[in-house]
Every structure is written in structure tokens, then in C-alpha cells.
Amino acid sequence: MLRITPAPHIFSKVSVKRIMWSVVWALTPALVYSIYIFGIRVLFLLFLSIASAMGSEFLFEKITKRKITIMDGSAVITGFLILFNISPNSPWWFPVVGSTFSILIAKQLFGGIGYNIFNPALIGRAFLMASWPKLMTGNWVPPKSGTLSGLPSQFLDGISQATPLTLLKVNPTSSVVESLNSTYMIKSLFFGKVGGCVGETSALLLLVGALYLFIMRIADWRISLGYIGSIFALSGIFYFSGLTPVNPLFHILSGGVMLGGLFMATDPVTSPVTLKGRWIFGIGGGLICVLIRIWGGYPEGVSYSILIMNMFVPLLDRISERKIFGR
């Protein structure tokens, strides 16, 4: 007997809940390392960030009489990413404000998961940056067995309170530039011996987590490769043409490039669904990031580059849609 049902007719075992919790597991190695180098306070801030994200989502859905979705893992990821984008020395209320703003303004007011245009955690980060710029850019602490700038201790006279990107922006002397381009600095950035936001320190552990997502087909490597690869290529062109004094390896390993390119640009809700659109999305974001870093007022450009590309996702899906045979 034939059974007639409406579309969709193809189902997958991969659920939203499985995707979200897989991302949480992928972020765990970087979190554990951050707790090791910055101390147990990171765990306290994580608890506040996740609790405020889940709590604000629960209250909004309860008041508006919507289905409660706090156990699908999406609010947990938002809490994770807010923590990863702030200093380990942040006051206790900082992740609470960031996570609550992300959930209420960037997610729930758009209709909840699946309907938000922008990455909620990036909107929360942008809000914190606009409201408390000193806490976002000048509240750093050095990691365990490392320095804030990533430079050797004998090089720290007068510049001990700057991260590598800030150092490049405010004090690009020849000796500083030479040190930022050194093998020592590249290793510090890759393994995580520099100061900065909680989740930006170790490029290696972020890559390990992302590789797991790529293998499980939870995230699309095309977006990450397009984003990080275009930053490497354009900053390399600018480096050899004299427009930036630091090499492309420094650009892709410093700041939030790895975190943004591997975990935030690949958000399935706010990135294109077509393969061609994903390439354009990633490459476009990377190009914008480099332009902001070199000519913008901020030393970092990851957040705004991804948010700008979020706006073009519907257009990218439209222009990259495969034509139906016969039309």
C-alpha cells in the first residue's frame, strides 16, 4: 500500500540538538586550555555566560508562550562564544550582559533559532565593544608561562600591556615589527602563549575542534578555508607590497581569525546554503577583515567582517542558486 505524505520526504539523523552539542564539544579543548593558562575564573565566567543565555531564552519563550528550546544547545553555544570573545579578566556582569543581549535582541526578536539574520554571539560582542570599549580592548592578563604580547620577557620595556595586534597598531617600530614576524612569535600564537580573549589564544586547539566538525560534516570547511585563506592571500600581497609590515602567518594566527573563521562564520543559520555562496561568503569576509585591520580604527576586524557578510547571505543564496533544468 502506498503512503502519501507532504514534503519533505528525505530525513536525516542529524538534528539541531546534535549539531549544537557537537560544536560545544569541539570548543571544549580550547576552553580547557584557557582554564589552564588563565585560571579557574574562566570557568566562573563560563557558568555566568551560559546561565544567562539559557535563562534569558527560557524567560522570553515562557512569556511569549513559545516552545522551550533551551536544551537544544544553541543558547549554550552563544554563552560559550560570548566568553571566548571577552577578556578572562572581565567583571562578572560582562558575560551576563553580552549573552542576554545576544539571545534577546539577535535571536529571539527575530523569531528564534533558524530565523536570526546575524550571528547572535557576534552581535553580543559588537554590543559590548560599542558600550565598554576599554573592557574589551584594555583589560588583558598574561597567560601562564607566557607574556601578554607573546614577545620574550627581555623585550617588554613599556609594552607589556599590549596584545600582539594592539602592539602592531599603536607601536609599529622596526624592532617591534621584527619581533612580530619572528618564528618565536608565530609559535607563541599557534600554541597559545599570548594574551587576549579567552578563546583566541591557541590556534592549534581551535583547529583540532574544527577538524572534528569538518569530519562529522557539522561545519563546512569551504567557509573556513575561504575566510582564513583569503586573509592569508591578501595580507601576503599587502606584505610584499609594503602595505602591512607583518607577514600573513601573523595575520591568520593573531586575534580572532581562527575562532571567527572556524566557529562563527560557519554558523549554519547565518551562512549560505549553496556551495558557491559559501565560498563567496568566506572569501568576502576574509577580504573585509584584512581591510579593517590595515585601514580601520580597530586592530581587529573579524567580528564586523562576518556580520557584514551575514547581511548578504540571502543575496548570495539567490545569485548562486543552481538553475533548474529547462528554465
Side-chain angles (χ1 to χ4, degrees):
M1 179 181 294
L2 295 177
R3 183 179 180 183
I4 301 175
T5 60
H9 301 291
I10 300 176
F11 296 92
S12 171
K13 294 181 180 179
V14 180
S15 63
V16 171
K17 187 175 182 179
R18 182 183 174 189
I19 292 173
M20 296 301 167
W21 285 106
S22 295
V23 177
V24 171
W25 284 116
L27 289 169
T28 301
L31 171 69
V32 172
Y33 182 69
S34 295
I35 294 172
Y36 169 72
I37 61 173
F38 292 125
I40 198 68
R41 180 175 174 75
V42 170
L43 203 57
F44 172 63
L45 294 176
L46 175 67
F47 169 76
L48 293 176
S49 190
I50 292 177
S52 54
M54 296 180 71
S56 57
E57 181 158 287
F58 175 80
L59 287 176
F60 186 91
E61 291 173 338
K62 194 72 175 177
I63 293 171
T64 56
K65 298 181 180 179
R66 294 183 181 179
K67 180 183 178 182
I68 305 300
T69 60
I70 59 172
M71 296 309 295
D72 65 9
S74 60
V76 176
I77 291 178
T78 300
F80 251 84
L81 292 176
I82 286 294
L83 171 76
F84 273 34
N85 278 279
I86 64 175
S87 166
N89 200 35
S90 297
W92 67 268
W93 54 266
F94 209 50
V96 174
V97 174
S99 292
T100 303
F101 188 89
S102 299
I103 292 294
L104 295 181
I105 304 301
K107 182 181 177 182
Q108 291 298 340
L109 288 185
F110 281 89
I113 186 171
Y115 298 97
N116 50 295
I117 300 173
F118 300 101
N119 185 302
L122 285 176
I123 288 291
R125 187 188 193 281
F127 173 72
L128 294 176
M129 175 66 83
S131 303
W132 296 279
K134 288 186 177 179
L135 288 178
M136 289 293 287
T137 59
N139 193 33
W140 310 117
V141 291
K144 183 179 181 180
S145 67
T147 62
L148 187 57
S149 63
L151 297 177
S153 56
Q154 65 270 20
F155 194 79
L156 296 179
D157 290 343
I159 54 174
S160 59
Q161 298 304 312
T163 61
L165 276 177
T166 306
L167 198 58
L168 174 65
K169 200 72 175 180
V170 302
N171 191 28
T173 63
S174 58
S175 58
V176 168
V177 168
E178 182 181 355
S179 297
L180 294 180
N181 283 320
S182 66
T183 304
Y184 182 92
M185 171 57 76
I186 299 302
K187 287 182 178 177
S188 295
L189 291 169
F190 185 73
F191 291 107
K193 291 186 177 181
V194 300
C197 295
V198 171
E200 295 178 352
T201 52
S202 176
L204 172 62
L205 293 178
L206 291 173
L207 282 168
V208 169
L211 186 61
Y212 164 73
L213 295 180
F214 296 154
I215 292 173
M216 298 298 293
R217 298 188 177 183
I218 300 296
D220 194 326
W221 57 270
R222 296 171 183 82
I223 296 176
S224 299
L225 182 60
Y227 188 84
I228 299 172
S230 60
I231 291 176
F232 183 86
L234 186 60
S235 61
I237 294 172
F238 286 172
Y239 174 64
F240 288 109
S241 60
L243 291 175
T244 178
V246 290
N247 62 57
L249 276 178
F250 175 87
H251 274 289
I252 64 171
L253 294 175
S254 61
V257 170
M258 286 294 172
L259 178 63
L262 296 173
F263 289 96
M264 305 184 87
T266 53
D267 176 13
V269 176
T270 57
S271 59
V273 296
T274 64
L275 298 184
K276 186 178 179 181
R278 290 175 177 176
W279 278 114
I280 299 173
F281 179 86
I283 293 171
L287 298 181
I288 294 171
C289 177
V290 175
L291 296 179
I292 293 175
R293 280 190 170 191
I294 294 179
W295 286 293
Y298 290 113
E300 181 64 278
V302 173
S303 301
Y304 295 110
S305 67
I306 298 174
L307 287 174
I308 290 171
M309 291 308 296
N310 284 162
M311 292 191 300
F312 293 101
V313 167
L315 175 64
L316 294 178
D317 278 334
R318 186 177 181 87
I319 64 175
S320 60
E321 185 181 16
R322 298 180 66 177
K323 292 183 179 179
I324 300 175
F325 181 74
R327 291 188 180 178

